[in-house]
Amino acid sequence: MKVPLSWLREYVNVDLPAAELAHRLTMAGVEVGEVIEMGGWKECFVGQVLTKEPHPQADRLSLCRVSTGSEEMEVVCGAPNVAAGQKICFAKVGAVLYNSHSGKQEALKPAKIRGVVSQGMICSALELGLSEDHEGIVVLPDDAPTGMSLDSYLGDTVLDLELTPNRLDCLSVLGVAHEVGALTGQPVREPDISYPEDGPAISSQVSISVADPDLCRRYTASLITGVKIGPSPRWLQERLTKAGYRPISNVVDVTNYVMLEYDQPLHSFDYDRLKDHTVIVRRAQAGETLVTLDGVERKLTPDVLVIADAHDPIGIGGVIGGANSEIGPDTVSVLLESATFNEHNNRETAQGMNLRTEATLRFEKGLRPELAPIALRRATQLIQQVAGGQIAEGIIDVFSGEAASPQTVGLSTERLKKLLGMDIDLETVERVLQSLGFHCQRSGPGQVEVTVPYWRNDINIEEDLVEEVVRIIGYDSVPTTMLSTPIPSQQTTPMTSIVGTVKDALVAAGMQEVISYPLVSGADLHRVGLFDEAEPPLRMANPMSAGQEYLRPTLRASLLATLAANEGHSEGPFRLFEVGRVFNPNGGELPEERDMAAGVLSGRRWDPSWLVDDSTLDFYDAKGPIELVMDDLGITCVFEPVDDPFFHPGRCARIFAGKEYLGIVGEVHPSILDRFDLKAQPVALLELDLPAVLQSQKGISRQFKSLSRYPAATRDMALVVPAGVPAAQVQEIVSSHRLVERVELFDVYSGENIASDSKSLTFHVFFQSHQRTLTAEEVNRALQGLLRTLEQQVGATLRA
Amino acid sequence: MTQPTSQSSAQSVQELVDAAAGELAGINDTDSLEAWRVAYLGRRGRLTLFLRGLAQLDLEERRVAGALGNQAKGRLEELLDERSKSISEAQLTRSASEDRLDVTLPGRPLVTGRLHPTTQIMREICSAFIAMGFSVVEGPEVETDHYNFEMLNIPLGHPARDMWNTLWVDQQDEAGNYPMLLRTHTSPMQARVMESTQPPVRVVVPGKCYRYEATDATHEWHFYQVEGLAVDVGITFADLKGTLFEFARRLFGNERKVRFRCDYFPFVEPGVDMSIDCFACNGEGGGCRICRDSGWIEIMGAGMVHPRVLAGVGYDPEKYTGFAFGLGPERIAMLKYGIEDIRLFYSNDLRFLSQF
């Protein structure tokens, strides 16, 4: 909404600088996005065309002598509408104007046009930046003072408002005037809307009925006969232009003007084109069509409210008019409509037709029915003023609701205190509300009954009035206190803390957290082989692109895609993880949202360095972080080898804590890497199902284990076991011996000196007792016992 | 072998000491020094043997010779100590010139991981509120129209719905409406939390939100929000101001000023928008890129919980009051770190992520 200050001043005095006014409005909830200064036209003046001669060398150009009062100059003008005697906007050499050929602001230079030197330019609205109009020059009123700078004569300041949806009232200049009045303590002058009604009674000339009052609560109309359609006077055109509207013709301009003045959209019909001079407000019949003002033929349904004459629709109520009743140059009688349409139906119709107009922008928010006749009278008066004619006596007013009972809301100082935490006396409350146009009636001690003015539709409950009071006295006047109520018991979601621990552990393991979009493409899900055709992932009804179509059932696709994107500018090391939700369809209910942690590791293990080798990341680099996570959470888990089509055969393990499946780790199958165009191989991937992790962690609490006061004895144990025996099994046997405190596997070897179906595992074994120092003999006995057990259970022998 | 006498003992001890000292003077490495020590002071060393031989002397002679011997021993140990020190000093001097490290070479690489900047800033935000007695709760990202809109005083057909362009899940009900959507804000947890607990309530809700929106440098369709809610008997707008002011100071420093202005969200009344004074230009403008010369930076929306929202969850709006607030962590991170394009956050370019 653009509000020219010159227009605003018609209703309220504005003494503040524009920036200060903008600030106050913004603080009070009417945000001024921009203060637009119109003008800054240096070297531009009001000029008068003294003579106009044809250009000797060019038919389309004319040669004008222009006076600026103090001097006279010769200029070449190409506009068809230039004429001797006109007051015009004259730019001298040096003026900075918009050049429509280059599309830029440029300084005006002396020019020789077809042999004649032009000492300036007569400007169009486009060149001055007043509007897009470049049809001809701007012709100023005859009383424009020659020689006055154009800034003084035409300059203005426009407030560009960025309104929240509740402030329907500020979609009108008068509404903003009421705000300004309240914020600056100035009275507001509403326009006089009286006019002579010297024509025959309207009721004898038109018949109006509302068949569907649920969709049209109030319908008012007036009739002006004998009008002359033509351009609007300059003041009207100028105001519309500054507010961002293009002037069309006097009658249409008035309807737009009054909408901007009062908020009420109006529509004008050519009275003589209405069959039987009848208007019926009704739902459309199936199969009816209407060519609307934008030239589109629209198919109507019974959900659409139409304005019809005796036979056909002539407009879509509150949305757009019909071409069949449009005001044209030959129109002589105007039927003017000002109505209150149902906001929900209006919004649905507009959305259904994909046609949001200035009218629907207002109707959909629910205009008050009291407004309709006020705006009707104002527009009737103005049409008669600018287009002449005779106004029929009376208006039509079909008000199908209950009689207009003004909206009232109660307010108590007690409620103010309860909500705001401060005392505001009743006098202040009344003063503030009255300055906004509310009417206050004391209804008890510390209580007022407040009547809401017709331009406000957003005041329905006591809290709304509290906001009115506090936004005008200023939020700064409310004290600043700390919460003094008791702190409730903590109710942090358990998953939240697990997620935090897992993230911290993975970061400690050297991994970088990434966060990717939970909407993925079907193609990516197919690439990772996790598009379940039987129960497809949830799809968006209105996806923004094919890349963001499905709610992901896995983090794997996002991570591989992220890896591929980063391979373009780095050789790693890549250690990435994400903790995020995956979504599993759940019939018609909300999907199951599972928090998952997943990571990928690939590329070189180290940043290139003179101190480290150039090895690459592999399975074990992915396993390490899992072990760290589990250790942090106090969960004991095992890794069971498994073959999974997503992973490289023989290089994948499932992770269990007892019977609980916690996740999986492995090197990704090369064919899947190919589908993501991943260059570096291998890519190790880990995945943890956090609800399962949470489940396994329940009941686990860390307990201190006392330290032995006796020394430990260390023995190295080099074993040869069959190649298929898992190391974890051997380690488990060793560490379960009662005297073994700790076991470290420090070498795994196969090759020379070891049979091809075997491998060698070498352990540091630490023997220790809590009761005494172990003797060498005890330790050796224990070692022999262990070796026997190992031989029996896994066929282990001591390495020669 | 003649029996030593005290005179001969004194003479031989002096000879021994002289011989040892002379030998020591030519020693320049720790190995030879150790050999010298063994030769004179070791278990079978010459001085040790001499001292042992004193046992055969008579008492008076033994006393005199013993004193001499012990003096000699002390002297040799002293010499050894001196020599040992000078050798190690010489070695250090040598290594300082011969085995000098190039200290400008890069250190041994460590594996370093980092949290996503959004996670970091979210933790900072949540901690500030946790310190004021708030709990952290989370809710579903796929929501119902009921919780995302209706329970927040935004009924179907309400023009304010235009404030949230919505991504709908492709499942229609009998009426042809889409009942499920990607939540457009974390506010639906207001109703969910209140439905499942009785006052007092004090929670913050961090989480992902989604909008059907074209992206640009300041708009993402996928982003985070931290929602907050405090409801009890006697909570006021003044408490809202105090809590959010305290939050701003914790995040942006004690010297920050805050400003509250009227704003509109359908689920609060009165509604408010909080700005902090610009920490880049300290409110002075002068071509400030951060606050665009306004001197203020909007950081969150808030307000007193709308009585319809309270009534909707079965709380008595006459008895209970409360406030709610919401803020965007990416915006806070952008302000703090000077990030100019929000799209960097979730494109996961490691060159971006590794900076935080």
Side-chain angles (χ1 to χ4, degrees):
Chain A
M1 174 76 189
K2 288 191 167 73
V3 181
L5 280 188
S6 59
W7 189 350
L8 188 66
R9 286 196 169 100
E10 183 169 326
Y11 316 116
V12 64
N13 293 346
V14 178
D15 300 328
L16 295 173
E20 174 61 19
L21 180 67
H23 172 71
R24 288 207 201 170
L25 283 167
T26 299
M27 296 301 284
V30 180
E31 187 175 356
V32 179
E34 197 184 349
V35 178
I36 304 165
E37 293 293 345
M38 297 186 85
W41 301 294
K42 76 173 183 163
E43 297 297 307
C44 292
F45 302 89
V46 176
Q48 183 165 28
V49 182
L50 302 173
T51 59
K52 176 194 168 192
E53 307 287 339
H55 190 290
Q57 313 286 333
D59 295 344
R60 297 218 179 143
L61 301 178
S62 45
L63 214 53
C64 301
R65 272 202 87 68
V66 174
S67 164
T68 61
S70 53
E71 44 186 334
E72 285 183 19
M73 277 160 288
E74 191 94 6
V75 291
V76 177
C77 180
N81 64 332
V82 69
Q86 280 172 340
K87 294 287 178 68
I88 46 84
C89 305
F90 182 69
K92 286 191 190 173
V93 167
V96 178
L97 298 170
Y98 179 79
N99 181 333
S100 61
H101 298 295
S102 70
K104 290 182 203 146
Q105 295 283 338
E106 286 174 11
L108 191 62
K109 288 177 275 212
K112 203 178 222 183
I113 301 168
R114 300 268 179 122
V116 178
V117 174
S118 184
Q119 294 168 292
M121 192 164 84
I122 304 176
C123 303
S124 71
L126 178 68
E127 284 151 352
L128 293 170
L130 287 174
S131 78
E132 299 296 297
D133 190 3
H134 195 46
E135 289 298 288
I137 57 162
V138 175
V139 179
L140 301 175
D142 289 344
D143 60 2
T146 303
M148 182 182 261
S149 79
L150 208 56
D151 273 358
S152 313
Y153 188 69
L154 268 189
D156 205 343
T157 302
V158 178
L159 304 180
D160 194 358
L161 307 183
E162 288 174 6
L163 293 168
T164 51
N166 58 324
R167 293 308 300 271
L168 170 63
D169 57 308
C170 287
L171 282 171
S172 72
V173 182
L174 255 174
V176 177
H178 284 291
E179 281 293 303
V180 172
L183 290 169
T184 61
Q186 295 286 336
V188 174
R189 302 175 289 270
E190 290 201 32
D192 168 24
I193 54 170
S194 63
Y195 50 78
E197 301 177 23
D198 42 13
I202 187 170
S203 51
S204 66
Q205 303 184 69
V206 63
S207 154
I208 295 183
S209 60
V210 177
D212 289 299
D214 56 324
L215 300 188
C216 175
R217 194 164 164 209
R218 190 168 200 174
Y219 194 96
T220 67
S222 65
L223 181 65
I224 307 107
T225 53
V227 298
K228 190 173 182 332
I229 303 296
S232 296
R234 200 186 89 84
W235 68 266
L236 180 51
Q237 292 201 26
E238 196 186 301
R239 284 193 173 172
L240 287 177
T241 303
K242 285 177 181 171
Y245 283 72
R246 194 167 54 89
I248 297 164
S249 71
N250 47 14
V251 172
V252 176
D253 289 352
V254 166
T255 56
N256 281 332
Y257 181 83
V258 174
M259 176 180 76
L260 291 173
E261 187 179 40
Y262 275 89
D263 227 7
Q264 172 72 49
L266 300 118
H267 188 69
S268 50
F269 299 98
D270 185 333
Y271 170 75
D272 295 315
R273 296 172 74 180
L274 305 184
K275 293 175 200 86
D276 298 349
H277 293 156
T278 294
V279 170
I280 305 165
V281 183
R282 60 167 170 84
R283 286 183 160 85
Q285 288 154 14
E288 278 186 316
T289 59
L290 176 67
V291 177
T292 47
L293 286 176
D294 51 5
V296 178
E297 179 172 1
R298 297 182 187 272
K299 291 191 173 65
L300 306 175
T301 63
D303 296 332
V304 174
L305 184 78
V306 295
I307 313 301
D309 62 15
H311 297 100
D312 302 305
I314 53 172
I316 298 170
V319 181
I320 192 169
N324 55 6
S325 57
E326 186 179 2
I327 302 285
D330 305 324
T331 298
V332 289
S333 297
V334 174
L335 182 76
L336 189 62
E337 161 202 292
S338 178
T340 312
F341 297 106
N342 176 282
E343 61 265 34
H344 303 300
N345 178 261
N346 181 267
R347 184 172 156 89
E348 274 167 31
T349 302
Q351 283 181 340
M353 293 183 176
N354 202 11
L355 190 68
R356 309 293 289 274
T357 61
E358 287 294 323
T360 66
L361 196 68
R362 291 169 171 81
F363 281 125
E364 69 165 21
K365 297 188 176 76
L367 288 165
R368 296 269 298 271
E370 296 97 309
L371 179 60
I374 299 170
L376 180 80
R377 288 185 190 276
R378 171 63 164 165
T380 305
Q381 172 204 51
L382 284 179
I383 287 174
Q384 200 275 331
Q385 251 179 47
V386 303
Q390 196 179 39
I391 301 171
E393 186 209 330
I395 60 166
I396 304 280
D397 186 356
V398 186
F399 195 177
S400 332
E402 65 275 35
S405 61
Q407 167 109 10
T408 62
V409 180
L411 175 63
S412 70
T413 49
E414 188 196 352
R415 188 70 185 163
L416 275 164
K417 164 120 180 139
K418 195 169 177 180
L419 268 180
L420 299 178
M422 71 186 288
D423 288 305
I424 304 178
D425 59 61
L426 210 52
E427 287 68 34
T428 307
V429 170
E430 286 172 327
R431 181 176 50 73
V432 167
L433 291 176
Q434 280 160 3
S435 74
L436 284 164
F438 292 79
H439 178 73
C440 298
Q441 174 91 44
R442 297 221 177 171
S443 53
Q447 290 188 333
V448 278
E449 195 66 15
V450 181
T451 305
V452 181
Y454 68 83
W455 58 88
R456 296 294 297 269
N457 75 330
D458 59 326
I459 307 298
N460 301 299
I461 58 172
E462 194 170 15
E463 284 72 14
D464 295 332
L465 288 173
V466 172
E467 179 175 273
E468 290 304 296
V469 172
V470 72
R471 74 183 182 86
I472 298 297
I473 64 171
Y475 282 14
D476 284 347
S477 58
V478 179
T480 300
T481 57
M482 285 308 289
L483 282 168
S484 52
T485 51
I487 294 180
S489 55
Q490 286 285 307
Q491 50 185 112
T492 295
T493 316
M495 182 56 76
T496 305
S497 63
I498 287 280
V499 163
T501 308
V502 169
K503 283 184 178 181
D504 284 342
L506 293 175
V507 165
M511 300 182 76
Q512 166 70 52
E513 187 189 10
V514 301
I515 296 176
S516 47
Y517 297 140
L519 290 181
V520 297
S521 69
D524 270 359
L525 292 178
H526 282 292
R527 282 190 188 102
V528 291
L530 291 172
F531 193 100
D532 186 347
E533 303 284 358
E535 195 176 20
L538 286 175
R539 195 183 161 274
M540 291 296 105
N542 53 339
M544 286 175 294
S545 75
Q548 294 153 0
E549 192 174 357
Y550 291 97
L551 273 164
R552 62 182 173 189
T554 174
L555 301 182
R556 295 180 192 178
S558 317
L559 278 169
L560 291 178
T562 298
L563 188 58
N566 277 290
E567 266 194 347
H569 46 74
S570 169
E571 287 172 30
F574 297 111
R575 295 182 177 88
L576 313 178
F577 78 93
E578 175 162 18
V579 178
R581 304 242 176 104
V582 299
F583 303 84
N584 299 319
N586 185 22
E589 302 298 305
L590 286 179
E592 181 206 23
E593 298 186 16
R594 274 187 104 76
D595 288 274
M596 302 290 286
V600 287
L601 299 95
S602 104
R604 56 191 176 204
R605 181 169 286 121
W606 307 100
D607 279 316
S609 166
W610 62 291
L611 287 167
V612 296
D613 60 46
D614 57 357
S615 56
T616 51
L617 292 162
D618 61 23
F619 175 88
Y620 296 103
D621 292 282
K623 190 180 172 189
I626 297 172
E627 289 167 324
L628 182 63
V629 168
M630 294 305 157
D631 189 48
D632 275 6
L633 292 168
I635 297 173
T636 307
C637 67
V638 295
F639 294 78
E640 290 185 359
V642 66
D643 277 327
D644 179 306
F646 181 82
F647 290 98
H648 192 296
R651 296 187 177 184
C652 175
R654 287 194 294 182
I655 309 156
F656 286 91
K659 286 189 174 147
E660 189 86 48
Y661 169 80
L662 301 185
I664 197 162
V665 56
E667 289 179 9
V668 180
H669 198 287
S671 68
I672 289 175
L673 299 182
D674 284 346
R675 289 179 214 152
F676 283 89
D677 291 329
L678 281 160
K679 296 190 290 274
Q681 301 205 358
V683 171
L685 182 142
L686 63 96
E687 188 177 77
L688 291 174
D689 181 79
L690 297 184
V693 171
L694 178 64
Q695 188 60 35
S696 302
Q697 209 245 355
K698 266 193 188 137
I700 292 182
S701 63
R702 260 176 216 282
Q703 287 297 313
F704 168 67
K705 214 168 112 192
S706 64
L707 309 178
S708 173
R709 286 184 286 133
Y710 304 98
T714 312
R715 295 288 187 277
D716 284 355
M717 190 165 76
L719 299 173
V720 177
V721 295
V725 172
Q729 192 183 350
V730 180
Q731 181 149 354
E732 174 60 30
I733 292 168
V734 178
S735 49
S736 56
H737 189 281
R738 71 187 165 87
L739 289 181
V740 171
E741 168 69 17
R742 187 157 57 91
V743 187
E744 288 169 357
L745 173 62
F746 73 92
D747 189 44
V748 179
Y749 175 77
S750 54
E752 217 175 311
N753 300 329
I754 302 290
S756 63
D757 58 353
S758 300
K759 64 184 173 191
S760 162
L761 304 172
T762 312
F763 297 92
H764 290 306
V765 187
F766 296 81
F767 295 91
Q768 196 175 30
S769 158
H770 273 71
Q771 281 80 40
R772 62 186 185 282
T773 303
L774 296 176
T775 63
E777 201 181 323
E778 275 179 299
V779 172
N780 290 339
R781 245 196 340 263
L783 196 62
Q784 292 309 317
L786 262 181
L787 286 171
R788 275 194 302 278
T789 313
L790 287 165
E791 185 170 10
Q792 282 162 15
Q793 295 195 2
V794 295
T797 54
L798 262 188
R799 188 172 161 190
Chain B
M1 186 179 180
T2 51
Q3 291 297 319
T5 64
S6 54
Q7 284 85 8
S8 65
S9 298
Q11 195 184 353
S12 54
V13 166
Q14 191 54 51
E15 281 167 11
L16 204 144
V17 169
D18 290 347
E23 238 178 85
L24 190 63
I27 290 176
N28 283 314
D29 61 283
T30 45
D31 289 348
S32 312
L33 188 66
E34 176 62 10
W36 178 90
R37 187 192 67 79
V38 171
Y40 289 96
L41 295 168
R43 271 166 62 196
R44 294 181 185 282
R46 287 171 65 185
L47 183 62
T48 316
L49 291 177
F50 170 81
L51 287 171
R52 257 185 230 152
L54 295 183
Q56 296 164 20
L57 293 182
D58 64 32
L59 191 67
E60 180 54 22
E61 280 181 331
R62 203 184 328 168
R63 198 181 54 76
V64 174
L68 286 170
N70 280 329
Q71 258 175 31
K73 191 179 179 201
R75 175 75 187 134
L76 287 191
E77 280 170 353
E78 203 176 293
L79 287 171
L80 172 68
D81 208 35
E82 277 169 21
R83 197 69 201 157
S84 169
K85 271 184 196 153
S86 72
I87 288 174
S88 49
E89 268 164 34
Q91 272 177 346
L92 274 177
T93 313
R94 214 170 29 244
S95 74
S97 57
E98 291 171 12
D99 305 328
R100 186 175 276 274
L101 296 183
D102 179 353
V103 296
T104 66
L105 280 171
R108 204 170 296 280
L110 293 174
V111 179
T112 47
R114 285 185 167 82
L115 288 169
H116 191 281
T118 302
T119 303
Q120 295 183 37
I121 205 85
M122 295 259 286
R123 286 187 174 187
E124 222 180 305
I125 292 166
C126 289
S127 319
F129 287 109
I130 288 167
M132 292 186 271
F134 287 76
S135 299
V136 180
V137 297
E138 294 186 73
E141 292 173 26
V142 183
E143 259 298 0
T144 55
D145 187 280
H146 176 75
Y147 282 109
N148 196 76
F149 290 123
E150 294 191 21
M151 293 296 279
L152 291 167
N153 193 30
I154 317 165
L156 196 63
H158 196 293
R161 283 205 177 197
D162 291 350
M163 291 166 80
W164 300 275
N165 295 318
T166 307
L167 275 157
W168 301 95
V169 175
D170 192 15
Q171 282 191 2
Q172 281 169 289
D173 61 16
E174 292 100 23
N177 294 318
Y178 295 104
M180 288 194 281
L181 49 85
L182 302 194
R183 66 175 171 196
T184 57
H185 43 193
T186 42
S187 313
M189 276 303 282
Q190 286 189 24
R192 285 185 179 273
V193 167
M194 287 192 283
E195 276 182 344
S196 63
T197 48
Q198 283 303 305
V201 172
R202 230 187 262 190
V203 293
V204 284
V205 188
K208 289 188 174 196
C209 305
Y210 307 84
R211 303 264 169 94
Y212 183 86
E213 252 174 28
T215 58
D216 61 29
T218 55
H219 293 88
E220 247 288 5
W221 66 271
H222 155 277
F223 56 94
Y224 282 78
Q225 236 181 28
V226 178
E227 181 85 7
L229 177 72
V231 179
D232 202 349
V233 173
I235 291 184
T236 67
F237 190 78
D239 295 332
L240 176 160
K241 283 182 69 178
T243 304
L244 299 189
F245 177 42
E246 180 59 21
F247 163 77
R249 297 203 315 168
R250 278 170 192 267
L251 237 77
F252 297 100
N254 278 333
E255 67 280 13
R256 287 279 69 80
K257 293 196 279 285
V258 297
R259 187 181 85 170
F260 294 89
R261 72 171 195 89
C262 182
D263 203 351
Y264 170 72
F265 309 97
F267 36 98
V268 292
E269 190 74 26
V272 53
D273 178 290
M274 183 174 84
S275 302
I276 54 170
D277 64 328
C278 181
F279 48 77
C281 68
N282 278 317
E284 284 165 16
C288 182
R289 195 175 45 79
I290 302 286
C291 67
R292 279 180 279 143
D293 276 356
S294 70
W296 295 93
I297 307 167
E298 291 184 5
I299 58 167
M300 67 164 103
M304 299 302 290
V305 181
H306 199 285
R308 276 192 213 120
V309 174
L310 293 174
V313 297
Y315 285 13
D316 177 3
E318 290 299 314
K319 183 175 176 194
Y320 296 109
T321 50
F323 61 81
F325 56 86
L327 72 157
E330 293 91 350
R331 179 165 161 73
I332 307 268
M334 289 170 83
L335 291 168
K336 279 193 101 152
Y337 304 130
I339 301 164
E340 286 170 356
D341 194 331
I342 195 174
R343 289 169 295 193
L344 287 166
F345 281 81
Y346 308 114
S347 55
N348 289 323
D349 188 325
L350 293 176
R351 293 169 298 181
F352 170 77
L353 295 176
S354 62
Q355 293 185 33
F356 301 97

